[in-house]
Amino acid sequence: KNPTTVKNFQAAPGGLQLVAMVSKVVGALKRHQYQVVGRHLPTEAVPEPTLFRMKLWATNEISAKSKFWYFLRKLRKVKKANGQIIAINEIFEKNPTTVKNFGIWVRYMSRTGFHNMYKEYRDVTLNGAVEQMYQEMASRHRVRASSLSIIKTATVPAKLCKRDNVKQFHDSKISFPLTHKLARASDRRFKTVFKAVRPNVAMF
């Protein structure tokens, strides 16, 4: 009556679907950018209502729709009961192999009140920068994801960056020295667990 193991869940009716859903949720922690388009339901007075488009971050499409209705009912007199979703699409990075500087404007609720903040990150995708922002806000400011809202994002040129943690990488001759390196045996025959002389791994 009370299945507690994955094996019992699979044996129970609908258990395979439940296990698949759990595994999908566990692996869907990374946030994605979605574009949601919705409107008020057509009426006789307004047969063609105004379309509203919103870009937001969520872990999946269901969460993206929920956030869309949350913000839209605050901005306009449209809610889920009298509205409809026209389209929802995931937005992907155009150049996911190029490092860029991203600026993120956020508003969050702390123990004392609401605060605005501007953050800068270096990443190859905007989703990666947003993920960095969520991790940093949780660690530095103890901000819960539900208490944080993204106001705006932008790709910032190097000359307009403000934060030192981003500006320190704006060097064409930047290098990262390899300070620890262990020489490997040239052949499997010469590989040993114990050495007669302690190896020197400092590459100075």
Side-chain angles (χ1 to χ4, degrees):
K1 293 182 179 180
N2 298 315
T4 56
T5 63
V6 174
K7 188 174 182 180
N8 290 337
F9 272 127
Q10 293 177 350
L16 289 174
Q17 292 84 347
L18 181 60
V19 172
M21 290 173 59
V22 171
S23 61
K24 186 176 181 181
V25 171
V26 170
L29 296 178
K30 191 173 179 64
R31 293 169 179 82
H32 305 273
Q33 187 180 14
Y34 291 95
Q35 175 183 269
V36 185
V37 181
R39 66 174 185 177
H40 194 285
L41 285 173
T43 60
E44 294 182 359
V46 185
E48 295 183 1
T50 304
L51 292 174
F52 300 100
R53 180 172 67 99
M54 194 177 300
K55 292 182 181 180
L56 40 81
W57 277 264
T59 54
N60 50 50
E61 290 189 1
I62 297 174
S63 179
K65 292 178 183 178
S66 177
K67 285 188 175 184
F68 174 78
W69 292 123
Y70 172 80
F71 289 114
L72 189 60
R73 71 171 177 260
K74 289 178 174 293
L75 299 172
R76 297 289 188 271
K77 289 186 177 181
V78 182
K79 56 183 181 179
K80 186 177 180 180
N82 59 11
Q84 63 180 168
I85 298 292
I86 302 299
I88 178 168
N89 309 98
E90 184 176 352
I91 300 176
F92 297 94
E93 192 73 25
K94 185 177 181 180
N95 298 315
T97 58
T98 305
V99 179
K100 296 170 281 291
N101 309 309
F102 294 104
I104 304 176
W105 287 259
V106 299
R107 180 178 176 84
Y108 69 95
M109 182 180 66
S110 69
R111 300 182 185 93
T112 56
F114 287 91
H115 311 277
N116 296 324
M117 189 175 289
Y118 169 72
K119 312 287 285 185
E120 281 181 357
Y121 301 97
R122 277 176 67 82
D123 208 294
V124 292
T125 63
L126 183 55
N127 290 344
V130 169
E131 193 70 20
Q132 287 187 55
M133 184 270 299
Y134 271 97
Q135 295 292 337
E136 184 181 7
M137 295 298 292
S139 60
R140 288 180 182 268
H141 305 284
R142 301 295 187 268
V143 179
R144 296 175 180 174
S146 59
S147 302
L148 191 147
S149 300
I150 299 176
I151 301 173
K152 184 175 69 171
T153 61
T155 304
V156 186
K159 61 181 180 180
L160 297 180
C161 289
K162 301 178 181 179
R163 301 294 182 253
D164 291 334
N165 64 329
V166 173
K167 292 167 65 176
Q168 66 180 344
F169 294 103
H170 296 163
D171 184 3
S172 59
K173 298 181 180 180
I174 192 171
S175 61
F176 302 94
L178 186 62
T179 58
H180 184 280
K181 185 175 181 180
L182 183 62
R184 299 183 64 179
S186 59
D187 192 84
R188 189 180 181 87
R189 296 173 298 170
F190 308 124
K191 184 178 179 181
T192 59
V193 178
F194 302 100
K195 301 293 184 183
V197 181
R198 182 176 182 179
N200 182 19
V201 297
M203 305 295 292
F204 295 111

